Amino acid sequence: MTEKWLVGVDLGGTTTKMAFLTEDGDIVHKWDIDTDLSNKGENIVRHIAQSLEDTLHRLGESKERLLAIGIGAPGPVQRETGMLYEAVNLGWKNYPLKERLERETSLPVAVDNDANIAALGEMWKGAGNGARDLICVTLGTGVGGGVIANGQIVHGVNGAGGEIGHMTLVAKGGAPCNCGKTGCLETIASATGIVRIAKEKLSQWDKPTLLRGETITAKAVFDAAKANDELALAIVDEVMFYLGLALANAANVSNPEKIVIGGGVSKAGNILVERVGAYFRRFAFPRVAEGATIALATLGNDAGVIGGAWLAKTSLHV
Ligand SMILES: [Zn+2]
């Protein structure tokens, strides 16, 4: 009998990553397409279905190969119906993603939030290493969060569970966040937040620093910190203070075995794990700190499609 494949789809505001995977979560073939934002995102689902067909054809395969699709989308999701409450980046509001994609592909479809499927991917095949209680935080342009308790994603009553990026860390006078609040973790620990803090501190710094005259990026800050630049170390310390505080408070709620840090900023590597770990241990309830290990995500851009396959496999019982 021919081995069946799962389909993982990670729908983003710029590109959509897609993959065929075995039932054990190994990637057989992966590719990506541009996300077509024209016409309020009306073409997106048709493009995904078309790309599936084209890719199968190119591989000399037929749809018989495919079991089900698991897709992550950038916004809060109603799990049971697979409806996306809102995806600002795509122009969708109350969009019946599961229903539309099932109609276009004739395959069963499971839908979840993109940060949540990344967490599932890391749990299954990445740094989570099978841990069933896990917190995953993605430090990119924004800060995504996924909380897994007893192997299940915490969704909450209207799809906004696990939004660690929007924990309020600066209660008074914090920077404005894309969500409409101020002082969110996202305003501090995202790539954009790090750049903002770096510029603020640089403008008040009169000692020598490698950052002066440079284009300030999160990577430049971490590189300078690794070279023991005093200002860069102060910036990193401030960011890690707040990230450690946020992760400790999140961990105090769910008592996770693993805390996985991913996204572009996590490429800074061990300096990040060490420094955030010190603040985490300071702020977490001692027994929570004892139980948790902080690790860097290992799947990179594949976390979403792998988590999508896990979602398809487990929620559709294929
Ligand atoms: Zn926010």
Side-chain angles (χ1 to χ4, degrees):
M1 209 182 97
T2 349
E3 180 188 62
K4 294 275 192 178
W5 294 343
L6 297 160
V7 184
V9 182
D10 185 1
L11 171 54
T14 321
T15 56
T16 300
K17 301 181 192 76
M18 302 173 68
F20 295 136
L21 302 96
T22 66
E23 286 182 78
D24 294 326
D26 297 320
I27 293 178
V28 179
H29 184 77
K30 65 174 176 178
W31 72 101
D32 51 51
I33 57 174
D34 291 339
T35 306
D36 179 356
L37 298 177
S38 66
N39 205 9
K40 289 196 170 163
E42 231 2 87
N43 307 323
I44 292 172
V45 167
R46 199 162 359 99
H47 277 177
I48 292 172
Q50 189 62 51
S51 182
L52 276 182
E53 300 262 359
D54 293 348
T55 308
L56 279 173
H57 186 74
R58 217 168 39 243
L59 297 174
E61 299 285 349
S62 78
K63 222 175 213 169
E64 308 297 297
R65 266 279 197 184
L66 306 182
L67 282 169
I69 301 173
I71 180 169
V77 168
Q78 186 181 35
R79 278 281 299 125
E80 294 71 26
T81 57
M83 194 263 295
L84 212 62
Y85 290 107
E86 188 165 23
V88 183
N89 292 340
L90 308 180
W92 288 353
K93 207 169 167 80
N94 295 328
Y95 188 85
L97 179 55
K98 175 183 162 76
E99 188 190 309
R100 295 278 172 91
L101 192 54
E102 284 183 341
R103 195 196 302 156
E104 292 285 343
T105 61
S106 312
L107 287 164
V109 173
V111 183
D112 207 329
N113 170 266
D114 53 359
N116 287 347
I117 65 163
L120 290 171
E122 289 290 341
M123 172 185 82
W124 191 22
K125 304 295 279 189
N129 201 16
R132 291 176 61 79
D133 291 281
L134 172 148
I135 289 177
C136 187
V137 67
T138 313
L139 312 176
T141 323
V143 173
V147 174
I148 299 174
N150 196 22
Q152 300 288 320
I153 283 282
V154 174
H155 289 104
V157 67
N158 62 359
E163 287 288 354
I164 293 169
H166 301 285
M167 287 178 80
T168 303
L169 276 297
V170 182
K172 285 180 182 168
C177 183
N178 288 328
C179 74
K181 300 198 294 128
T182 59
C184 295
L185 177 63
E186 181 163 300
T187 69
I188 299 164
S190 61
T192 3
I194 295 169
V195 169
R196 182 186 58 78
I197 292 168
K199 285 181 174 166
E200 271 174 27
K201 285 204 185 300
L202 180 61
S203 71
Q204 294 159 13
W205 191 260
D206 41 26
K207 289 186 265 178
T209 167
L210 297 167
L211 295 174
R212 203 178 313 277
E214 289 289 311
T215 307
I216 308 279
T217 60
K219 182 178 187 298
V221 171
F222 278 104
D223 286 348
K226 286 175 196 168
N228 275 320
D229 183 271
E230 198 186 339
L231 173 64
L233 284 168
I235 299 162
V236 168
D237 188 65
E238 178 164 332
V239 174
M240 293 305 118
F241 169 88
Y242 286 112
L243 182 59
L245 177 60
L247 293 176
N249 285 338
N252 280 354
V253 176
S254 71
N255 190 192
E257 178 181 347
K258 282 274 166 64
I259 296 176
V260 181
I261 304 177
V265 174
S266 73
K267 294 200 178 104
N270 286 336
I271 183 175
L272 194 153
V273 174
E274 280 162 22
R275 282 163 199 256
V276 80
Y279 285 117
F280 175 79
R281 286 186 294 276
R282 188 204 289 187
F283 295 125
F285 183 59
R287 204 163 164 78
V288 168
E290 243 168 66
T293 313
I294 300 182
L296 294 171
T298 60
L299 300 178
N301 286 335
D302 294 338
V305 292
I306 293 173
W310 169 263
L311 183 68
K313 177 184 158 103
T314 54
S315 54
L316 300 164
H317 306 290
V318 291

